Amino acid sequence: MSVDRSPDTGSSRSGSRTAFGALDDLDRRLLRELERDGRISNKDLAARVGVAPSTCHTRVAALRASGVLRGFHAVVDPEAVGRGLQAIIAVRLQAGARRQLGAFARALAARPEVRDVYLLGGSDDVLVHVAVHDSRALRAFVVEHLSTRHEVAHTQTSLVFEHLHVPTTAG
Amino acid sequence: MSVDRSPDTGSSRSGSRTAFGALDDLDRRLLRELERDGRISNKDLAARVGVAPSTCHTRVAALRASGVLRGFHAVVDPEAVGRGLQAIIAVRLQAGARRQLGAFARALAARPEVRDVYLLGGSDDVLVHVAVHDSRALRAFVVEHLSTRHEVAHTQTSLVFEHLHVPTTAG
DNA sequence: GATGAAACTGGTACTAG
DNA sequence: CTAGTACCAGTTTCATC
């Protein structure tokens, strides 16, 4: 009895698994529902996709174990926790500092103000999405962690008026 | 008995609610744990923050009702659902088209490829974060929904090599 | 692999402090 | 508001197809 989801290429199966390790229709529907509502009960989820609760449970456990389902997170109103001001900071690194890009990005991601770090190919190297209390905190963040660091060649800060996040990828 | 969380300014309370509608320490700890693990059971959550399950349940329900807790979502590996290529597209609108910015952003967010839409103040008006199957799909998206639209003055597409998302705001 | 029943565990509502 | 209790619903396991 293997813990991992074994890539059952040859077994008889009602679904339509297309490739090695790929997902079938049922998996995709489960993921879509869980992206929409991460706290849906196993019973309701099973009813939505039209399988037995036990089947649903097995599938979700397999998706979790295989790493397709990375986790479940609550979404909190930033304003309510004192982070009503959001900004995107485009960062260009010194040419020689690009080798440390990964460490630089991870250090940023560890900061409580940081919500997203995008490592880019293009004119800018990094995009940092932050949520802070006010403009004073924003300035403090940029100065302390970006513009005064020797790896950083240039920064450009843009205020975020609105952020629309779409939690569904398995469309 | 009011359904909404009534702003109990004067009542005796062991916690330290600071302002009208603000959150106390317990609320913040609950939010932090739920951001970390959105599927933690009420029992375990109560044990983590050190209150009775019934208390924990009441608090979380209140946070939900008040809109502080916006929702719960599963996070899916983009690669597994055939969206292994990510990009950020910076969009500048025509000067006269900025009045339709909201509608433009919502239309983008409705697309299955789109994960985030940031409305910015600065040289660019919108930042679109997309996850697509391959470079062909990326080009198709940019052409169909951005560069050929009359509201759009300019676009600049950058590939995302890595995206670090930090699901915790209530630090 | 999917299913249905059976044991178990946790969620929800009520009551008291 | 917090905590304890009792009831009920959902989860999880297992034998079966």
Side-chain angles (χ1 to χ4, degrees):
Chain A
M1 187 236 270
S2 63
V3 176
D4 288 281
R5 157 109 109 174
S6 55
D8 48 319
T9 22
S11 69
S12 67
R13 200 156 193 287
S14 58
S16 59
R17 176 155 295 168
T18 45
F20 187 89
L23 309 169
D24 66 4
D25 287 349
L26 179 54
D27 288 326
R28 254 184 277 270
R29 268 181 297 155
L30 289 170
L31 293 174
R32 193 151 41 85
E33 293 299 329
L34 288 171
E35 281 181 323
R36 268 201 347 149
D37 179 6
R39 274 218 123 160
I40 189 173
S41 75
N42 184 66
K43 195 199 176 198
D44 290 351
L45 180 58
R48 269 190 175 275
V49 301
V51 292
S54 50
T55 304
C56 181
H57 185 264
T58 311
R59 286 293 192 113
V60 173
L63 288 169
R64 246 185 205 274
S66 69
V68 173
L69 252 176
R70 285 193 174 159
F72 297 87
H73 302 285
V75 175
V76 174
D77 179 13
E79 197 114 18
V81 292
R83 299 193 179 278
L85 184 67
Q86 290 181 47
I88 294 267
I89 307 144
V91 180
R92 209 172 312 154
L93 294 182
Q94 303 285 357
R98 297 231 166 79
R99 296 209 57 188
Q100 302 146 38
L101 185 61
F104 179 74
R106 276 190 296 279
L108 284 176
R111 297 284 323 166
E113 305 93 332
V114 173
R115 292 175 67 95
D116 298 272
V117 180
Y118 299 93
L119 278 70
L120 300 185
S123 55
D124 292 311
D125 297 296
V126 182
L127 238 47
V128 190
H129 175 211
V130 295
V132 293
H133 184 62
D134 53 17
S135 60
R136 187 198 130 279
L138 176 57
R139 188 178 133 70
F141 175 82
V142 174
V143 169
E144 281 177 42
H145 300 99
L146 296 173
S147 55
T148 60
R149 294 201 48 145
H150 62 275
E151 307 102 309
V152 174
H154 180 257
T155 72
Q156 184 180 354
T157 303
S158 303
L159 292 188
V160 174
F161 294 137
E162 209 176 330
H163 176 206
L164 287 74
H165 180 67
V166 185
T168 313
T169 51
Chain B
M1 188 232 268
S2 64
V3 177
D4 289 281
R5 156 108 108 171
S6 54
D8 49 316
T9 21
S11 70
S12 67
R13 200 156 192 286
S14 59
S16 59
R17 176 154 295 167
T18 46
F20 187 88
L23 309 168
D24 67 4
D25 287 348
L26 178 55
D27 288 326
R28 255 185 278 269
R29 269 182 296 155
L30 289 170
L31 292 174
R32 194 150 42 86
E33 292 300 329
L34 287 170
E35 281 182 323
R36 269 201 346 150
D37 179 5
R39 275 219 122 160
I40 189 172
S41 75
N42 184 65
K43 196 197 176 199
D44 289 352
L45 180 58
R48 268 190 175 277
V49 301
V51 292
S54 51
T55 303
C56 180
H57 185 263
T58 311
R59 285 294 193 115
V60 173
L63 288 169
R64 246 186 206 273
S66 70
V68 173
L69 252 176
R70 284 191 175 160
F72 297 86
H73 302 285
V75 176
V76 174
D77 179 13
E79 198 115 17
V81 292
R83 299 192 178 278
L85 184 65
Q86 292 181 45
I88 294 268
I89 307 144
V91 181
R92 208 172 313 155
L93 294 183
Q94 302 285 358
R98 297 230 167 78
R99 295 208 58 186
Q100 302 147 37
L101 185 60
F104 179 74
R106 276 189 296 279
L108 284 176
R111 298 285 321 165
E113 305 93 331
V114 173
R115 291 175 67 96
D116 298 271
V117 180
Y118 299 94
L119 278 70
L120 300 184
S123 54
D124 292 313
D125 296 297
V126 182
L127 237 49
V128 190
H129 175 211
V130 297
V132 293
H133 185 63
D134 53 16
S135 59
R136 187 198 130 279
L138 177 58
R139 187 177 133 70
F141 175 82
V142 173
V143 169
E144 281 177 41
H145 300 100
L146 296 173
S147 55
T148 60
R149 293 201 50 147
H150 61 275
E151 306 102 311
V152 174
H154 179 257
T155 72
Q156 185 180 354
T157 303
S158 303
L159 292 189
V160 174
F161 294 137
E162 206 176 333
H163 176 206
L164 286 74
H165 180 68
V166 186
T168 312
T169 51

